[in-house]
Amino acid sequence: MSRQLEKRRRGTMHSGVFMRVLILSVVTDPIPAQNSEIFTLVVPHGPILTRINASISLPCELSPIFSAEPLEVRWYRPGNFNRPALLYKDHSIQASVDPRYWGRVSLTGGLERGNVSLRLDRVTLEDRGEYVCRVSSEQWYEKASVSLTLIVLGGIPVLSLAEARGGGGQVNVTCSSVGWSPQPTLTWKNKEGAELRNVQEVLYTHDSQGLVSVSSWLLYSPSDSDWLSCTVSLSEEEEKESRILPRAPMDGHWSLGAFITTLIILLLVVFTVIGLFIWNKKTDKTESTERPEETALVRECGMQPAKETTTQKKCVPKAWGEVKRFKVDITLDPTSAHPNLNVYAGRKKVYCRDSKVTDVPTALHVFSEDRFSSGQSYWEVKVREDSIFSKEKESWYVGVATDTAVNKTVVVPLTPENGFWVLTCEKEKGYYVHADPQMPVSGNESPLIFLSLSETGKAILTTLGVFFDCDKQMLSFYDAESKVHLYSLFNIVSSNTFLGVFSPGLRGRCLTVQ
């Protein structure tokens, strides 16, 4: 009996030891890791929105999360598999990519966490559309698409009126706007702000760059006080609106208000003609009537942002013979000059005393004492003279600037955004101006516009003519010796007054205001 009890006790001990060993082996043995060769890609469902010249990230991540460093990552446009925008393989980004994306693409980082998102800098209109994210290993690959949409605000809506067919006191009101992305919404409203829903049709068209133009029209029965508004928008924050006060046809009868308005307009026209006649008589006594052949250069001003008008007007740069009658006597302001500049000869000349510019918080130029806020003005600047330093590097600029530019405490680029509209000469580059800030440019275009003197018959400019039309917001440059128009800048808009700005460049160069 005792032997049986002993055997049972030993058997129980062996069973306990076996169970403990089994449990310990289960706890200590590792759980097999998930097979990382099988994965999917996570991308956004909707489009990614951005603006021109911005930087954007196109998201793409591995699921489950594991390191993508040993994998191949290929970002490409549909149909361009062999010309990817970016190719990552063998633990580095390869140099063989689509040249349109050189220097503008990178991976956002986080490959060790499975993040293979693409960063795209200086976005252009051509960058819109679908991108394919493809990640592959030796045994598996996945791909997914990401859509990129650009937000581009178009022009201010242009409204026009026409008499409706059949009469009845109705007018046909048309609204159109160009240059939008993506497709905008067009809305008509009355003076109470209520939306008009009897719109006949809204038409959308695309230009060569893929931007959307929208137009619509409606029949309206106006009263003397009703006005309409046409709003084109991408969202509540991104919209442009124009208003119009429709007037129904009078069926051959004149109202008292229409008669008085017409009379006032006729009187204004008569006085304007008389004033121009007197002005021409005065200027003919002192100015030559010589009128050289005009250059066939016609350009558009575009909208005037400061006034938010709904119409466009054409600006035609005047020929040199026409602008001479607006010549003014310009003097330089020594108090505004850079410390290295010397203003002399009755405040008509300026030159740089030392080619080593001192470290002062102003640019190497001087402003005029004269200020401009309205009307037309013309002056000439001799930009090249015989000098004992004639072999010195040629570098100068002449133009206009806002009066706020005088008080700038740091040197800023001489661009319209900073209040400078100038013609610049550099020996290495030649003659150039900075582009209009409202001109749509892609990230691949230069912000400078280079001028050619081929029409002047000369290679070097000696005397520069400057014509500033404040009313038309236009600045024109001329070769005063060849009597040829060189270039015109438009949309010269500011709430401040303007001054002339002159820079002779480095030592030995002298500018003379004539």
Side-chain angles (χ1 to χ4, degrees), residues 118-341:
L118 177 73
R119 176 183 173 86
L120 178 59
D121 296 323
R122 303 188 301 279
V123 175
T124 70
L125 285 174
E126 294 181 351
D127 294 333
R128 292 173 297 172
E130 182 180 352
Y131 290 78
V132 179
C133 172
R134 186 183 188 275
V135 182
S136 60
S137 65
E138 294 181 356
Q139 295 82 18
W140 188 261
Y141 81 90
E142 282 288 350
K143 63 180 181 178
S145 296
V146 181
S147 179
L148 178 62
T149 299
L150 259 66
I151 299 175
V152 181
L153 291 183
I156 296 175
V158 177
L159 294 170
S160 59
L161 288 175
E163 183 178 356
R165 293 182 179 179
Q170 288 188 321
V171 291
N172 187 354
V173 188
T174 302
C175 175
S176 61
S177 181
V178 300
W180 293 83
S181 178
Q183 181 172 298
T185 300
L186 187 146
T187 306
W188 292 93
K189 294 182 181 179
N190 59 20
K191 67 177 182 179
E192 286 80 20
E195 182 176 348
L196 302 179
R197 301 188 179 275
N198 60 332
V199 178
Q200 300 296 324
E201 189 174 7
V202 178
L203 301 177
Y204 295 96
T205 58
H206 294 78
D207 61 16
S208 59
Q209 293 182 310
L211 296 178
V212 180
S213 298
V214 58
S215 61
S216 177
W217 64 274
L218 58 80
L219 293 175
Y220 194 66
S221 300
S223 65
D224 290 339
S225 59
D226 283 340
W227 55 258
L228 290 174
S229 73
C230 176
T231 303
V232 182
S233 62
L234 298 174
S235 65
E236 292 183 358
E237 293 78 22
E238 296 168 319
E239 64 178 30
K240 292 190 176 181
E241 180 190 60
S242 292
R243 297 181 179 183
I244 194 170
L245 187 64
R247 284 289 184 264
M250 299 303 296
D251 295 329
H253 298 285
W254 285 56
S255 67
L256 178 60
F259 175 79
I260 295 176
T261 301
T262 304
L263 180 61
I264 293 175
I265 293 175
L266 290 175
L267 290 175
L268 289 175
V269 170
V270 171
F271 285 120
T272 301
V273 171
I274 295 174
L276 289 175
F277 179 80
I278 295 174
W279 172 261
N280 287 330
K281 284 294 184 180
K282 290 183 178 180
T283 55
D284 286 342
K285 295 179 181 179
T286 56
E287 297 292 336
S288 171
T289 59
E290 180 184 7
R291 293 171 57 88
E293 184 177 353
E294 295 184 4
T295 59
L297 175 63
V298 178
R299 301 192 50 172
E300 293 188 2
C301 285
M303 288 298 170
Q304 303 178 56
K307 299 181 181 179
E308 287 290 331
T309 61
T310 60
T311 59
Q312 295 182 338
K313 62 181 181 180
K314 300 284 186 179
C315 281
V316 181
K318 296 180 181 295
W320 181 84
E322 291 185 74
V323 302
K324 280 200 64 178
R325 64 191 184 91
F326 298 101
K327 191 171 184 180
V328 295
D329 186 20
I330 297 291
T331 56
L332 305 178
D333 182 9
T335 62
S336 67
H338 186 282
N340 283 41
L341 296 181

